[in-house]
Amino acid sequence: MNLLVLLAIILLIVAGHQLLKVIELSRGLKKTKEWQISDADNNLMGKAMLWFMVVFFAFFFWQVNRWMDRSLPPAASEHGVKVDLLWDANIYLITFVFLVTNFFLFWFAYKYRGNSKAKAEFIAHNNKLELLWTVVPAIALAFVIIFGLKYWNEIMAPSNEENKIIVELYAKQFDWTARYPGKDNVLGETDYRQINGSNPVGMDTSDVKGKDDILVRNEFHIPVGTEIELRMRSRDVIHSAYLPHFRAQMNCVPGMITYFKFKPTKTTAEMRKDPYVIKMMAGINAQRAKENKEPVEFDYLLLCNKICGASHYNMQMNVIVESLADFKLWRAQKAASKTVASN
Amino acid sequence: MEGSKSSVQNSGIKLKIYKILNRKQMSTPTTTTLEQEHLAHHEHVHDHDDHEESFVSKYVFSMDHKVISRQFLITAVVMAVVAMVMSVIFRLQLAWPGEKFGFINAMLGDKWGKDGILDPNMYLALVTIHGTIMVFFVLTGGLSGTFSNLLIPYQIGARDMASGFLNMLSYWFFFVSSVIMLSSLFIEDGPASGGWTIYPPLSALPEAMPGSKLGMTLWLVSMAIFIISSLLGSLNYIITVINMRTKGMKMTRMPLTIWAFLITAILGVLSFPVLFSAALLLIFDRSFNTSSICLTFILEAVRLTMWVEVLFCSNTCSGS
Ligand code: HEM
Ligand SMILES: [Cu+2]
């Protein structure tokens, strides 16, 4: 099979070579030089350029339409709305520029196609044009940068909310551990030298504030409508905590603590009823059915978004967003099971 | 005696370079008669060489900007094709996870493409080398090397680059670094695989992943040589644009393309030395046990375990 493919490729190359030779020979018969291109050829090429543009643009719009439902659902966090706004503004801007510049590219190739009767015109300079193509992109770029910076500063401003929920995300090759402060609402100190099998996140055992901390794996819960402050640590290499549905991402760098704050606006249950999400999941489950796999339900995810080794692709954790009351219940359960386990 | 001998040799080499640099000047009317006489005199002394260029000096170790530009183009196109085949392989895996592709097995063999399914480590390696090749060997080296070399002398009215010799070196350093980068595809542990950004500590610790072993060392060596090439090229472009413009070609009259090449070269000269020192520090950390980039706490942990081994294992596993 592979041999056949290879053979086909070689034959194609040989055929192409022969074709070129035939063209060269026929040119010899016609007594024209390689660089003497007839107006008929120029016309053909010019029109082909236009046709290429039409097909290219049609393909572009078809692609956009075809894959539109594979993009992320609307933001499920407060600041995420701003990120989406910025994203949309940029995409519309880029698409507009893409269409305009490519139109001119092909249109000029057609309009100024070779013509044996036309005479070249000499233009040394055009102030108006130069001003236009300098000032317009400058304004557009300034817009992009100013709004980007403004939103970035707003999103990264230190949290000053009183009842924020603190969650520590501890990354290592290749899983996540979430740590909640206990009743004292303060995370215990850590010390990398105390990392061992029964103390995987390196809690400082001499710090009493850490005694009531709650560790969870595979899935962690957060309440809706409350500010969540994530603190990120890493044991080994750089990881990146990526919560795509909340438009949140921050690197986890060994040796330091990084922060990200956000406020979820939709619970997992609400999200599962969102029309966009229903459509998206229907598409995914249709594909899974074809592969004889069980259907899945929508879940918020925490993913690792920085290459960190062989199983990087599988370094993830489910996130459940629920009402504050449900969250407190869940946290109390976890705290209780912890005391049971340690007794 | 010794000293005078070497200085004779030295002046011979200088003369040769001088002549090669000025060869084209001789046939142009702008050289003064005095210069022509001067050159003709030297020409007479060394009558036997440089009249007919050999194949090697014309196409291989050439100092002509047009030939060097083509060398850059051809090398970069070959690299681009390699990188594109890689992207086809990993995108096949991504689009149909778990699907068996005879093509993948044929390209990567049973070690990396068992049953036609791409190995996760090799997936990362392919993405990494794809990104590296596309960013450095195609965009930086290929585009700048090809078009700056071809167009700068043409568009500013210079006969060639400021230094044809450095230009030649720039290409051959590029070539050597390409060969080293490609050679890393054929070693046992596979090529570098930490992503094209090569973030430490993933890239600094050989035990972090298979791609941080020999493959990473080769990547770093290749990149150090690439940066030398890029710097030689950029300095040449900058000096040529500043010094060798023809009469009347003021900076304000330069074509936009030349402005673009100039700015690109300046940015390259500003940023690549930083990258060079980073690559060098990583090489030192990995191969010569320094600890400049490796986070000290990790090294401490490693050293601690080593100490424990030395203290407690030396008597039990002595001799090994
Ligand atoms: C100017 C040309 C190109 C440049 C500069 C470029 C650069 C890159 C870079 C930097 C990455 C990320 C690598 C990493 O994370 O380590 C990447 C990924 C990728 N490239 Fe390219 N590339 C180019 C052309 C192509 C072409 C022609 C194809 C397809 C035929 C392609 C397909 C991909 C794909 C599919 C990925 C994503 C892989 C993944 O994340 O799993 N690229 N490219
Ligand atoms: Cu990770």
Side-chain angles (χ1 to χ4, degrees):
Chain A
M1 179 59 208
N2 289 318
L3 220 67
L4 274 181
V5 172
L6 205 69
L7 212 68
I9 292 173
I10 292 172
L11 282 179
L12 259 175
I13 294 171
V14 172
H17 186 243
Q18 294 298 337
L19 210 71
L20 277 179
K21 255 195 179 158
V22 169
I23 293 172
E24 242 165 54
L25 282 176
S26 70
R27 188 175 283 131
L29 290 179
K30 275 194 266 172
K31 295 225 166 58
T32 51
K33 292 265 167 24
E34 202 179 332
W35 41 265
Q36 285 175 328
I37 297 161
S38 69
D39 278 354
D41 274 359
N42 280 325
N43 279 334
L44 185 72
M45 285 300 158
K47 280 177 194 146
M49 279 281 183
L50 275 194
W51 275 112
F52 185 90
M53 178 184 75
V54 171
V55 174
F56 177 47
F57 280 179
F59 180 65
F60 166 75
F61 283 113
W62 178 80
Q63 288 264 3
V64 170
N65 184 47
R66 176 71 182 77
W67 306 111
M68 203 59 158
D69 63 346
R70 302 296 167 99
S71 52
L72 283 172
S77 66
E78 218 163 55
H79 80 275
V81 178
K82 289 182 197 164
V83 176
D84 280 4
L85 196 71
L86 208 57
W87 170 265
D88 287 347
N90 276 294
I91 287 292
Y92 284 127
L93 186 70
I94 294 170
T95 309
F96 175 72
V97 173
F98 161 76
L99 291 175
V100 169
T101 50
N102 276 278
F103 170 77
F104 280 129
L105 188 67
F106 291 108
W107 175 251
F108 284 153
Y110 165 74
K111 190 171 176 213
Y112 299 110
R113 65 192 183 278
N115 181 348
S116 56
K117 283 164 217 85
K119 268 190 89 178
E121 213 177 312
F122 182 74
I123 307 168
H125 198 67
N126 188 333
N127 266 335
K128 243 190 234 161
L129 261 182
E130 279 204 16
L131 215 62
L132 193 73
W133 71 48
T134 313
V135 171
V136 172
I139 292 175
L141 284 180
F143 163 83
V144 170
I145 292 169
I146 289 171
F147 276 86
L149 271 181
K150 181 177 170 310
Y151 286 161
W152 172 255
N153 285 334
E154 283 170 21
I155 292 167
M156 297 313 293
S159 156
N160 46 16
E161 199 119 335
E162 276 294 296
N163 346 322
K164 67 182 172 202
I165 301 286
I166 296 169
V167 186
E168 182 193 76
L169 296 177
Y170 184 75
K172 72 177 199 337
Q173 285 176 330
F174 298 97
D175 57 31
W176 298 96
T177 309
R179 180 158 70 111
Y180 293 83
K183 280 185 217 72
D184 56 0
N185 210 20
V186 182
L187 285 169
E189 294 291 322
T190 55
D191 177 3
Y192 69 89
R193 283 168 300 193
Q194 300 189 26
I195 295 175
N196 59 38
S198 59
N199 185 6
V201 305
M203 306 265 298
D204 184 351
T205 44
S206 62
D207 182 15
V208 285
K209 291 201 233 48
K211 292 275 189 260
D212 58 351
D213 286 5
I214 304 160
L215 299 181
V216 293
R217 292 158 67 83
N218 304 326
E219 176 182 300
F220 72 100
H221 292 220
I222 46 176
V224 70
T226 315
E227 189 158 290
I228 314 294
E229 183 180 296
L230 298 177
R231 301 185 180 177
M232 283 147 279
R233 290 195 298 136
S234 165
R235 178 196 289 186
D236 34 40
V237 300
I238 303 181
H239 301 270
S240 192
Y242 178 40
L243 297 141
H245 307 103
F246 306 115
R247 314 292 190 256
Q249 175 171 331
M250 184 53 67
N251 281 6
C252 314
V253 186
M256 66 191 282
I257 299 176
T258 50
Y259 297 86
F260 198 95
K261 65 166 207 302
F262 68 100
K263 197 181 272 187
T265 51
K266 289 177 205 163
T267 63
T268 302
E270 278 167 5
M271 203 65 172
R272 285 178 183 166
K273 288 193 202 108
D274 183 282
Y276 184 94
V277 174
I278 289 174
K279 199 168 154 233
M280 183 181 82
M281 295 315 289
I284 291 174
N285 283 328
Q287 184 61 36
R288 286 179 72 86
K290 270 190 217 152
E291 295 165 18
N292 287 324
K293 290 177 184 156
E294 314 223 309
V296 288
E297 269 193 306
F298 170 84
D299 256 318
Y300 289 116
L301 283 175
L302 163 68
L303 303 166
C304 179
N305 207 11
K306 180 108 13 208
I307 295 179
C308 59
S311 298
H312 156 69
Y313 69 94
N314 207 17
M315 181 170 161
Q316 53 176 284
M317 204 174 178
N318 274 358
V319 187
I320 308 289
V321 180
E322 56 202 0
S323 69
L324 190 60
D326 285 349
F327 168 74
K328 282 185 173 154
L329 211 66
W330 173 83
R331 193 174 54 180
Q333 262 172 15
K334 284 284 164 193
S337 67
K338 181 183 160 157
T339 16
V340 171
S342 62
N343 278 349
Chain B
M1 270 319 271
E2 286 251 321
S4 74
K5 204 173 159 189
S6 78
S7 86
V8 167
Q9 266 176 359
N10 221 339
S11 67
I13 290 169
K14 263 189 207 153
L15 184 67
K16 231 178 192 168
I17 293 172
Y18 178 71
K19 268 177 17 191
I20 292 166
L21 284 177
N22 289 285
R23 194 181 305 128
K24 295 227 179 57
Q25 271 180 358
M26 298 193 37
S27 54
T28 57
T30 46
T31 28
T32 64
T33 37
L34 203 72
E35 258 181 296
Q36 269 176 3
E37 252 172 35
H38 184 64
L39 283 164
H41 174 67
H42 287 310
E43 203 72 9
H44 187 70
V45 176
H46 289 260
D47 220 355
H48 48 279
D49 58 24
D50 287 347
H51 277 298
E52 272 292 304
E53 277 187 285
S54 67
F55 179 82
V56 170
S57 71
K58 199 167 175 193
Y59 294 112
V60 184
F61 294 108
S62 169
M63 304 199 203
D64 177 353
H65 73 102
K66 299 186 288 300
V67 176
I68 294 175
S69 141
R70 271 164 228 175
Q71 290 175 323
F72 267 111
L73 180 66
I74 292 167
T75 314
V77 166
V78 170
M79 293 298 273
V81 169
V82 172
M84 215 166 70
V85 172
M86 291 177 167
S87 72
V88 170
I89 294 176
F90 63 65
R91 188 49 84 172
L92 277 177
Q93 167 66 34
L94 200 60
W96 291 279
E99 191 83 20
K100 298 181 169 80
F101 291 98
F103 173 66
I104 291 182
N105 185 269
M107 296 296 286
L108 299 170
D110 283 342
K111 178 162 186 190
W112 304 114
K114 198 162 162 34
D115 301 331
I117 297 173
L118 187 55
D119 175 84
N121 272 314
M122 198 53 183
Y123 178 95
L124 297 176
L126 290 180
V127 172
T128 303
I129 303 298
H130 163 87
T132 306
I133 291 181
M134 287 299 188
V135 169
F136 293 106
F137 293 83
V138 179
L139 289 190
T140 313
L143 285 192
S144 172
T146 305
F147 291 106
S148 295
N149 264 317
L150 187 69
L151 294 179
I152 288 179
Y154 279 168
Q155 293 199 325
I156 65 171
R159 286 185 194 91
D160 203 319
M161 283 289 164
S163 167
F165 181 68
L166 286 190
N167 212 12
M168 177 185 83
L169 278 188
S170 166
Y171 171 71
W172 283 102
F173 272 111
F174 179 66
F175 182 80
V176 169
S177 79
S178 307
V179 170
I180 295 178
M181 189 58 77
L182 290 184
S183 74
S184 79
L185 295 170
F186 298 96
I187 60 175
E188 193 182 350
D189 294 317
S193 57
W196 73 281
T197 44
I198 311 295
Y199 290 121
L202 188 63
S203 58
L205 298 168
E207 55 272 26
M209 69 192 303
S212 293
K213 295 191 169 119
L214 181 60
M216 183 60 70
T217 305
L218 288 175
W219 191 98
L220 289 166
V221 170
S222 162
M223 202 42 62
I225 296 174
F226 173 87
I227 294 169
I228 296 173
S229 149
S230 164
L231 285 179
L232 289 176
S234 296
L235 288 174
N236 225 342
Y237 306 147
I238 295 173
I239 295 167
T240 309
V241 170
I242 290 177
N243 263 350
M244 311 221 358
R245 297 189 310 278
T246 190
K247 214 170 160 189
M249 175 61 78
K250 295 181 191 160
M251 290 292 267
T252 47
R253 288 180 183 164
M254 279 188 334
L256 278 181
T257 38
I258 299 300
W259 271 110
F261 295 143
L262 180 65
I263 305 284
T264 310
I266 292 174
L267 289 180
V269 169
L270 288 178
S271 55
F272 271 115
V274 182
L275 206 62
F276 184 71
S277 43
L280 218 55
L281 288 178
L282 257 178
I283 291 175
F284 277 18
D285 275 14
R286 295 167 46 86
S287 305
F288 308 114
N289 281 331
T290 58
S291 81
S292 35
I293 290 190
C294 273
L295 296 152
T296 39
F297 84 91
I298 290 181
L299 280 186
E300 246 173 69
V302 173
R303 261 190 224 121
L304 211 69
T305 38
M306 268 161 52
W307 255 102
V308 172
E309 274 165 16
V310 169
L311 283 178
F312 298 104
C313 297
S314 52
N315 36 6
T316 45
C317 16
S318 59
S320 64

